[in-house]
mmCIF file of all heavy atoms in Angstrom:
data_model
loop_
_atom_site.group_PDB
_atom_site.id
_atom_site.type_symbol
_atom_site.label_atom_id
_atom_site.label_comp_id
_atom_site.label_asym_id
_atom_site.label_seq_id
_atom_site.Cartn_x
_atom_site.Cartn_y
_atom_site.Cartn_z
ATOM 1 N N LYS A 136 -8.042 55.009 12.692
ATOM 2 C CA LYS A 136 -7.861 54.765 11.268
ATOM 3 C C LYS A 136 -6.384 54.772 10.830
ATOM 4 O O LYS A 136 -5.995 53.900 10.023
ATOM 5 C CB LYS A 136 -8.618 55.792 10.436
ATOM 6 C CG LYS A 136 -10.116 55.587 10.557
ATOM 7 C CD LYS A 136 -10.862 56.336 9.502
ATOM 8 C CE LYS A 136 -12.328 56.122 9.787
ATOM 9 N NZ LYS A 136 -13.105 55.662 8.692
ATOM 10 N N LYS A 137 -5.605 55.690 11.308
ATOM 11 C CA LYS A 137 -4.225 55.823 10.845
ATOM 12 C C LYS A 137 -3.199 54.981 11.620
ATOM 13 O O LYS A 137 -2.202 54.575 11.051
ATOM 14 C CB LYS A 137 -3.789 57.308 10.901
ATOM 15 C CG LYS A 137 -4.620 58.221 10.031
ATOM 16 C CD LYS A 137 -4.357 58.000 8.579
ATOM 17 C CE LYS A 137 -5.157 58.995 7.752
ATOM 18 N NZ LYS A 137 -5.050 58.801 6.336
ATOM 19 N N LEU A 138 -3.499 54.758 12.902
ATOM 20 C CA LEU A 138 -2.525 54.022 13.715
ATOM 21 C C LEU A 138 -2.985 52.646 14.112
ATOM 22 O O LEU A 138 -2.242 51.878 14.679
ATOM 23 C CB LEU A 138 -2.197 54.834 14.994
ATOM 24 C CG LEU A 138 -1.677 56.276 14.785
ATOM 25 C CD1 LEU A 138 -1.456 56.958 16.116
ATOM 26 C CD2 LEU A 138 -0.415 56.279 13.955
ATOM 27 N N ASN A 139 -4.243 52.356 13.839
ATOM 28 C CA ASN A 139 -4.829 51.063 14.238
ATOM 29 C C ASN A 139 -4.740 50.816 15.743
ATOM 30 O O ASN A 139 -4.508 49.733 16.212
ATOM 31 C CB ASN A 139 -4.187 49.891 13.486
ATOM 32 C CG ASN A 139 -4.426 49.931 12.004
ATOM 33 O OD1 ASN A 139 -5.204 50.696 11.523
ATOM 34 N ND2 ASN A 139 -3.708 49.074 11.282
ATOM 35 N N LEU A 140 -4.926 51.924 16.503
ATOM 36 C CA LEU A 140 -4.926 51.824 17.956
ATOM 37 C C LEU A 140 -6.250 52.261 18.468
ATOM 38 O O LEU A 140 -7.071 52.831 17.730
ATOM 39 C CB LEU A 140 -3.806 52.706 18.517
ATOM 40 C CG LEU A 140 -2.374 52.348 18.093
ATOM 41 C CD1 LEU A 140 -1.389 53.409 18.521
ATOM 42 C CD2 LEU A 140 -1.955 51.001 18.677
ATOM 43 N N ILE A 141 -6.487 52.047 19.730
ATOM 44 C CA ILE A 141 -7.758 52.358 20.366
ATOM 45 C C ILE A 141 -7.539 53.238 21.631
ATOM 46 O O ILE A 141 -6.623 52.971 22.403
ATOM 47 C CB ILE A 141 -8.518 51.073 20.765
ATOM 48 C CG1 ILE A 141 -8.740 50.175 19.565
ATOM 49 C CG2 ILE A 141 -9.819 51.359 21.444
ATOM 50 C CD1 ILE A 141 -9.149 48.744 19.916
ATOM 51 N N ILE A 142 -8.390 54.213 21.775
ATOM 52 C CA ILE A 142 -8.340 55.058 22.988
ATOM 53 C C ILE A 142 -9.092 54.306 24.105
ATOM 54 O O ILE A 142 -10.161 53.776 23.872
ATOM 55 C CB ILE A 142 -8.989 56.432 22.730
ATOM 56 C CG1 ILE A 142 -8.044 57.281 21.880
ATOM 57 C CG2 ILE A 142 -9.313 57.136 24.038
ATOM 58 C CD1 ILE A 142 -8.519 58.683 21.609
ATOM 59 N N ASN A 143 -8.483 54.293 25.259
ATOM 60 C CA ASN A 143 -9.104 53.717 26.412
ATOM 61 C C ASN A 143 -10.111 54.716 26.966
ATOM 62 O O ASN A 143 -9.723 55.690 27.604
ATOM 63 C CB ASN A 143 -8.018 53.396 27.471
ATOM 64 C CG ASN A 143 -8.588 52.652 28.640
ATOM 65 O OD1 ASN A 143 -9.792 52.768 28.991
ATOM 66 N ND2 ASN A 143 -7.745 51.911 29.329
ATOM 67 N N THR A 144 -11.370 54.486 26.720
ATOM 68 C CA THR A 144 -12.401 55.463 27.057
ATOM 69 C C THR A 144 -12.616 55.600 28.566
ATOM 70 O O THR A 144 -13.043 56.648 29.030
ATOM 71 C CB THR A 144 -13.754 55.106 26.378
ATOM 72 O OG1 THR A 144 -14.092 53.767 26.710
ATOM 73 C CG2 THR A 144 -13.678 55.276 24.893
ATOM 74 N N THR A 145 -12.276 54.569 29.337
ATOM 75 C CA THR A 145 -12.443 54.686 30.781
ATOM 76 C C THR A 145 -11.331 55.529 31.424
ATOM 77 O O THR A 145 -11.541 56.164 32.430
ATOM 78 C CB THR A 145 -12.500 53.312 31.461
ATOM 79 O OG1 THR A 145 -11.330 52.571 31.159
ATOM 80 C CG2 THR A 145 -13.716 52.525 31.059
ATOM 81 N N LYS A 146 -10.154 55.531 30.816
ATOM 82 C CA LYS A 146 -9.042 56.296 31.369
ATOM 83 C C LYS A 146 -8.877 57.674 30.711
ATOM 84 O O LYS A 146 -8.149 58.525 31.229
ATOM 85 C CB LYS A 146 -7.743 55.529 31.248
ATOM 86 C CG LYS A 146 -7.676 54.315 32.148
ATOM 87 C CD LYS A 146 -6.337 53.644 32.065
ATOM 88 C CE LYS A 146 -6.224 52.480 33.004
ATOM 89 N NZ LYS A 146 -4.928 51.835 32.909
ATOM 90 N N THR A 147 -9.494 57.875 29.558
ATOM 91 C CA THR A 147 -9.364 59.138 28.840
ATOM 92 C C THR A 147 -10.421 60.111 29.390
ATOM 93 O O THR A 147 -11.588 59.763 29.554
ATOM 94 C CB THR A 147 -9.596 58.918 27.324
ATOM 95 O OG1 THR A 147 -8.523 58.082 26.861
ATOM 96 C CG2 THR A 147 -9.590 60.213 26.582
#
Side-chain angles (χ1 to χ4, degrees):
K136 291 196 184 232
K137 300 289 183 184
L138 304 178
N139 295 349
L140 298 170
I141 301 165
I142 286 183
N143 185 335
T144 54
T145 56
K146 291 185 178 180
T147 296

